[in-house]
Amino acid sequence: MFMTRRSSLTALAIAGLTASVSPAIAQQDASQPAWAQGRPESMQGAPLSPHAAPLTVTPEDQIPVDRLRLPDGFSAELWAHGMPGARMMALGDEGTLFVGTRSIGRVYAVTDNGESREHRIVVEGLTQPNGVAFKDGSLYVAAINRVLRFDDIESQVANGEIGEPEDLTEAFDLPDDEHHGWKFLAFGPDGRLYVPVGAPCNGCDVDSETHANIRSYAPDGSDMQIVARGVRNTVGFDFHPETGELWFTDNNQDWLSEHWPNDELNKVTEPGEHFGFPQCHAHGIVDPERGEAGACDDVTLPVALFDPHSAPLGMRFYTGDMFPEDYRNAIFVARRGSWNRSLSVGFDIQLAMLSEDGSRAGTSPFMVGLHAPSENDFLGRPVDVLQMPDGALLVSDEQNGAIYRISYQAPDYQAQ
Amino acid sequence: MTGVRTGLVALSIWLAMPSGMADTGPAAGKPLEEQIAICGGCHGEDGNSTQEAVPSLAGQPPLAVTNQLIYFRERLRQSGIMTPQAQGLEDSAIQALADYYAAQPVASSSTTRDDTLYDQGQGLASQHGCSSCHQPDYSGQRQMPRLAGQREDYLNKAMKDYRDRRRGGPDTTMIEIMTGTPDEDIHALAHFLAHLEAD
């Protein structure tokens, strides 16, 4: 079994393990786990805490692909599985799919022979290697706090031997806070690598030059620029296929309420503009503790809202030919689903349709079936979406370590 | 996920590894009964440990044992003893072991109860809200371990290891909770939890 294999990278990875929690943050709120920061006294006994993702392989017959529901004409199949914790996805030029994780510390590579898929582990033993991106033959991996580059990675995967990566950690010089320290990675149309740095807290005052921002770098980690400020915790973004603008999801503060603040879909118009955290949330709610009157006046408000705590993460514009014309330049958004609501919500793929001028978007469900509202339970947790060259859409399910492929064939209603 | 090519991957990576990294643990690949005997050498055949600072596994929620074994196997949690032991254990073997220990009855504590210390620990546990995750009877749930009836010396060690950041692993919840907790509070908590009668 692949489980027994260890690359020499493991030793390298272990060296990074001692930097777990930032002492400065932990001491601010001693005796509270990070996720409980801001929990009011009245909620102390409430049965609300993050759902830990399984670290073990989900047997194929227990993967809920048959429960997925989509609009007519669309169908879902199980494309790859057996990869505990599968989250963010990046596609190589030769078709290798790279998949990041959090707790289990691995990055997987999936290869497709046209009929079936195989996967293997590219690197393991890292601290939350969530971010993966591919450019010019190289795989970029972002963990807490490490940035690694694997050159000529698709040949390495094909040859079955993964060599030592280039360690770009020092060049990127990212904060090593554990709280919201996991990264999403994507290359922009400008060839630069975009990296978010989340707020190291649930809610706290932050220096917008160091935290709660989105940055871009030259691929070697030089020339850092701040692209967006006041962004609490984005774990997914993409660039508009025509305008090149950066659009991103953002996860809002916990424990303020069951019903607010909503999570967000945002658009960057001016480099460096401020999106509100921690003073202003969602569609213009002043933070009761940190915001003053007028705190929302000079910040950029979202293009669209998602249900509070529903955790919109990976998002991509659709530019393929397979789906109907309606879907062109619309955004698929994976919602991992809530934990900070007594009535759960999310666990689906939403579609965001943009207004003509791109200043607003409306959202509606695209893929459902993993949420069981009547049981207040869930069967899977979508984290990322990725368009394949043929126009099909891949969806990663962290709960089941699985990747689904969604394809389309126009329904023939007359034939029924 | 398997196949000829994957086999070659195993070989080539194995050859590239520094010495000592390739070993599998003694229980890897063995039938469950033999694995239980091997683990029982320290943790007790029935999962009730009789060795100093070695945790009892009896009555633990299956996911608590599963996750820790996977942290050891993935080298995400470092222990001179357990990290090597866990190498090569398959997910299904880990889950079978966890199910076995979950079903074993918890033995009574072998140390003498001190009522003052017990009461002090009970008050601290309530004050810290330990039961909100570990359950009101401290039997644990999901990945949160059973504390009731655990060895007192082990509870002391585990809480101090978290506090002093000697115990790693992806789940940092307990590190954050234990930060700054004085030794005397840990001693009282450990005494109370160890002497809490199991259901």
Side-chain angles (χ1 to χ4, degrees):
Chain A
M1 286 293 289
F2 66 93
M3 293 296 181
T4 60
R5 277 167 232 141
R6 302 288 150 194
S7 76
S8 53
L9 274 174
T10 310
L12 190 68
I14 289 163
L17 277 176
T18 44
S20 46
V21 187
S22 159
I25 296 304
Q27 273 147 28
Q28 279 173 17
D29 210 348
S31 272
Q32 289 276 34
W35 55 262
Q37 285 173 14
R39 180 173 59 182
E41 200 66 34
S42 60
M43 296 293 282
Q44 283 294 333
L48 297 179
S49 64
H51 312 291
L55 303 173
T56 44
V57 169
T58 303
E60 185 173 354
D61 61 3
Q62 292 172 28
I63 296 173
V65 64
D66 294 341
R67 303 289 290 269
L68 300 176
R69 291 300 304 261
L70 296 147
D72 278 1
F74 290 92
S75 58
E77 63 187 299
L78 182 59
W79 189 77
H81 61 100
M83 298 177 285
R87 283 175 59 98
M88 274 30 214
M89 299 184 283
L91 190 64
D93 291 341
E94 291 160 32
T96 311
L97 184 77
F98 299 98
V99 187
T101 66
R102 284 186 53 195
S103 289
I104 201 156
R106 298 172 176 168
V107 174
Y108 302 101
V110 185
T111 48
D112 187 358
N113 65 13
E115 286 179 9
S116 61
R117 267 67 53 193
E118 289 184 342
H119 72 263
R120 60 209 65 192
I121 297 167
V122 174
V123 57
E124 59 193 339
L126 296 176
T127 305
Q128 305 199 28
N130 186 63
V132 286
F134 183 93
K135 187 164 182 61
D136 298 333
S138 298
L139 169 70
Y140 293 73
V141 173
I144 306 171
N145 153 41
R146 306 192 65 203
V147 182
L148 303 174
R149 190 187 74 220
F150 296 80
D151 293 330
D152 198 17
I153 184 63
E154 294 190 276
S155 304
Q156 294 198 57
V157 168
N159 295 337
E161 192 169 356
I162 311 292
E164 294 288 332
E166 284 293 316
D167 193 331
L168 303 176
T169 305
E170 273 186 46
F172 279 84
D173 192 27
L174 292 158
D176 62 2
D177 308 275
E178 187 102 4
H179 200 157
H180 295 152
W182 51 98
K183 304 290 185 293
F184 179 80
L185 288 184
F187 277 95
D190 54 2
R192 292 170 62 83
L193 185 57
Y194 286 69
V195 188
V197 177
C201 56
N202 177 33
C204 61
D205 292 318
V206 290
D207 178 350
S208 66
E209 301 304 303
T210 63
H211 287 87
N213 57 34
I214 302 174
R215 307 153 170 215
S216 75
Y217 292 82
D220 64 0
S222 64
D223 189 27
M224 190 270 276
Q225 294 168 17
I226 295 184
V227 178
R229 295 179 168 82
V231 179
R232 181 177 173 273
N233 183 33
T234 176
V235 197
F237 41 74
D238 197 11
F239 301 84
H240 190 286
E242 287 167 6
T243 69
E245 289 163 325
L246 174 66
W247 289 60
F248 65 93
T249 57
D250 194 16
N251 291 262
N252 264 321
Q253 205 161 311
D254 296 318
W255 300 117
L256 289 171
S257 165
E258 175 107 352
H259 297 291
W260 62 273
N262 290 69
D263 288 336
E264 305 174 10
L265 177 66
N266 293 289
K267 178 177 76 159
V268 180
T269 307
E270 295 290 327
E273 68 187 298
H274 203 290
F275 288 83
F277 182 84
Q279 295 89 9
C280 173
H281 306 295
H283 50 301
I285 299 175
V286 175
D287 186 86
E289 189 179 338
R290 293 181 183 84
E292 293 169 3
C296 292
D297 291 354
D298 297 319
V299 306
T300 306
L301 298 181
V303 168
L305 299 174
F306 296 101
D307 295 303
H309 314 299
S310 61
L313 303 184
M315 55 156 279
R316 317 270 175 173
F317 285 92
Y318 186 78
T319 59
D321 295 327
M322 183 192 278
F323 295 180
E325 187 56 32
D326 251 10
Y327 290 84
R328 186 67 65 94
N329 293 352
I331 309 172
F332 288 105
V333 181
R335 296 198 303 173
R336 187 167 176 258
S338 66
W339 64 266
N340 196 232
R341 294 188 97 229
S342 60
L343 186 62
S344 62
V345 67
F347 311 93
D348 60 8
I349 304 295
Q350 294 272 315
L351 187 76
M353 302 287 285
L354 276 51
S355 62
E356 203 60 44
D357 65 358
S359 64
R360 295 278 181 273
T363 62
S364 62
F366 173 73
M367 187 192 89
V368 300
L370 297 175
H371 186 213
S374 62
E375 312 289 326
N376 208 22
D377 203 355
F378 60 88
L379 301 168
R381 308 196 77 182
V383 167
D384 201 10
V385 287
L386 186 128
Q387 182 189 313
M388 294 295 272
D390 67 355
L393 188 75
L394 299 184
V395 174
S396 64
D397 175 358
E398 182 181 18
Q399 184 74 13
N400 295 296
I403 294 172
Y404 311 114
R405 176 180 180 269
I406 297 172
S407 56
Y408 179 78
Q409 200 159 25
D412 185 354
Y413 293 115
Q414 250 100 61
Q416 291 174 6
Chain B
M1 67 185 218
T2 49
V4 175
R5 251 165 71 184
T6 335
L8 288 172
V9 178
L11 182 65
S12 52
I13 292 179
W14 186 84
L15 290 171
M17 269 184 295
S19 59
M21 301 284 285
D23 298 336
T24 53
K30 299 229 163 59
L32 180 63
E33 294 71 29
E34 288 179 43
Q35 292 179 326
I36 290 165
I38 291 165
C39 304
C42 295
H43 292 280
E45 184 89 0
D46 62 355
N48 286 287
S49 161
T50 54
Q51 287 197 29
E52 191 181 341
V54 173
S56 290
L57 305 176
Q60 289 291 347
L63 195 57
V65 171
T66 297
N67 279 12
Q68 294 304 322
L69 275 171
I70 287 179
Y71 294 160
F72 286 129
R73 186 191 69 197
E74 299 295 316
R75 301 172 196 272
L76 296 167
R77 180 178 166 197
Q78 293 298 312
S79 154
I81 297 162
M82 281 308 300
T83 305
Q85 292 285 327
Q87 297 311 304
L89 288 174
E90 292 185 12
D91 286 7
S92 54
I94 286 173
Q95 288 170 307
L97 280 165
D99 287 342
Y100 167 79
Y101 288 118
Q104 304 307 306
V106 182
S108 298
S109 176
S110 56
T111 59
T112 313
R113 174 171 154 169
D114 173 333
D115 286 345
T116 312
L117 198 56
Y118 183 95
D119 290 347
Q120 191 190 334
Q122 188 166 29
L124 284 163
S126 160
Q127 186 187 319
H128 284 278
C130 307
S131 66
S132 69
C133 293
H134 292 278
Q135 297 281 58
D137 63 356
Y138 300 94
S139 61
Q141 58 170 329
R142 305 198 301 276
Q143 77 273 22
M144 280 78 76
R146 158 184 286 276
L147 306 176
Q150 182 55 274
R151 285 184 65 91
E152 186 170 351
D153 50 13
Y154 175 73
L155 288 168
N156 259 301
K157 178 186 184 307
M159 284 189 275
K160 286 177 186 168
D161 282 351
Y162 277 127
R163 180 194 64 190
D164 301 336
R165 295 164 188 277
R166 286 192 299 261
R167 178 160 166 177
D171 188 348
T172 58
T173 298
M174 281 305 299
I175 295 174
E176 289 145 4
I177 286 172
M178 294 310 300
T179 299
T181 308
D183 278 357
E184 55 267 34
D185 287 8
I186 288 177
H187 292 158
L189 282 164
H191 190 78
F192 160 65
L193 294 164
H195 288 87
L196 198 61
E197 285 298 321
D199 293 334

